[in-house]
Amino acid sequence: MRQFIIILVTASVLFGWGKTGHRVIGIIAEENLTPQAKEQISQLLGHTDLASISNWADEIKSDSAWDHSHDWHYCTILEGHEYEGPEAGGYAVKKVTEFTALLKKGTLGKEDQLDVFRFIVHIVGDLHQPLHVGNGTDRGGNDVKVTWFWDETNLHRVWDSQMIDGMQYSYTEYAQQIQLGLSEGDKQSMLDPNVLSFVNNSRAVHTQVYDIGEGKLSYEYVYKNRELMEDQLLSGGYHLAAILNDIFK
Ligand SMILES: [Zn+2]
């Protein structure tokens, strides 16, 4: 039993947006690919789609051969700064940049190309979970103990999955809901492949994310943060599409 508890705790520390969050971002990106990108990605992926492969980078954490990838899922921006590089902790930005350049170069073998592609899809999603852009003091909110309705948890987990799961939508329903009423102008403004702008934005919303009073989070916290969370998922999908469209021209 004790071992089981330890495994559960570790899992909650390591995972990014829960499965639903990554899939929502994947499906929105899929819908906004250019025909050229769509064609090249379907040749690479075969019979699957972005939503289905979006959690692969978390699943492989069960394989020790990928232990070196655990710090590719987050980055750190210290208080009062903008992104300055991986030395503050976490390689997410560095890896997205490096892997994007590798795919553009087009010299990887098919297996490596697929791995690198699946990492980009996942990490871009993670970087829209505000607590995957950490402040360097509390392991991305994992050390901030809170209650979520009646359960003891931490702030990171609330943002990874508990708030999303509480909405009780499937990922396809959620992707549809949060795109309702979007204008062409809204879409175009989000189709921006600049990684640093969305990373700095994820950090900038921390003031709101960390506004937790005494840490008893329930309806009021959802009421205040639902729109922010949905904006992050929505813009995550469009930013991912823009990055992929830029790679597969
Ligand atoms: Zn992750």
Side-chain angles (χ1 to χ4, degrees), residues 12 15-18 129 132 155-162 164:
S12 75
F15 280 28
W17 281 123
Q129 204 279 51
H132 274 251
L155 190 59
H156 189 95
R157 250 185 97 201
V158 167
W159 275 85
D160 264 359
S161 55
Q162 288 174 302
I164 295 180

Side-chain angles (χ1 to χ4, degrees), residues 14-17 22 57-58 61 73 122 126 132:
L14 292 176
F15 280 28
W17 281 123
H22 279 289
D58 277 338
K61 286 175 176 167
H73 296 245
H122 181 85
D126 272 346
H132 274 251

Side-chain angles (χ1 to χ4, degrees), residues 168-181:
Q168 302 185 8
Y169 286 126
S170 69
Y171 76 91
T172 51
E173 288 167 345
Y174 214 172
Q176 196 182 21
Q177 283 296 316
I178 59 180
Q179 291 187 91
L180 287 177

Side-chain angles (χ1 to χ4, degrees), residues 137-145 154 156:
T137 68
D138 59 13
R139 299 186 309 135
N142 276 294
D143 293 337
V144 180
K145 304 300 170 206
N154 65 66
H156 189 95

